[in-house]
Amino acid sequence: MYVVATAGHVDHGKSTLVRALTGIEPDRWDEEKRRGLTIDLGFAWTELPSGRHVAFVDVPGHERFLGNMLAGVGPAPVVCFVVAADEGWQAQSR
């Protein structure tokens, strides 16, 4: 199984991308849904046409949740860094 963490600036579409790729809502907590903001690590998975499996770890993008973000991307062998096309690269992304 492949494991991919999503990372990037807050509100750049990380959870939306994971949901589109897997059909699974990575934001589990009511507060996350109410605020439209990932707070805790989210998990989703899918099977590729090849039969291989990919798991996603969706991490928070807000600087207040940096500890949770590091916990998610630290052990992941691959990170997909998401940048919103309408906002571009942000200083916090550095």
Side-chain angles (χ1 to χ4, degrees), residues 3-7 73 76-81:
V3 177
V4 178
T6 59
V73 299
V78 176
V79 173
C80 175
F81 199 91

Side-chain angles (χ1 to χ4, degrees), residues 1-2 46-55:
M1 176 179 292
Y2 297 100
T46 191
E47 184 176 337
L48 301 175
S50 66
R52 293 183 177 176
H53 294 89
V54 178

Side-chain angles (χ1 to χ4, degrees), residues 16-33:
T16 301
L17 176 63
V18 170
R19 189 178 320 106
L21 292 173
T22 66
I24 297 172
E25 172 60 62
D27 290 334
R28 300 169 289 140
W29 307 113
D30 288 339
E31 184 176 354
E32 291 176 311
K33 293 173 185 171

Side-chain angles (χ1 to χ4, degrees), residues 30-61:
D30 288 339
E31 184 176 354
E32 291 176 311
K33 293 173 185 171
R34 185 173 58 254
R35 294 172 66 180
L37 176 75
T38 300
I39 297 169
D40 201 1
L41 301 178
F43 305 95
W45 51 90
T46 191
E47 184 176 337
L48 301 175
S50 66
R52 293 183 177 176
H53 294 89
V54 178
F56 292 91
V57 180
D58 185 42
V59 305

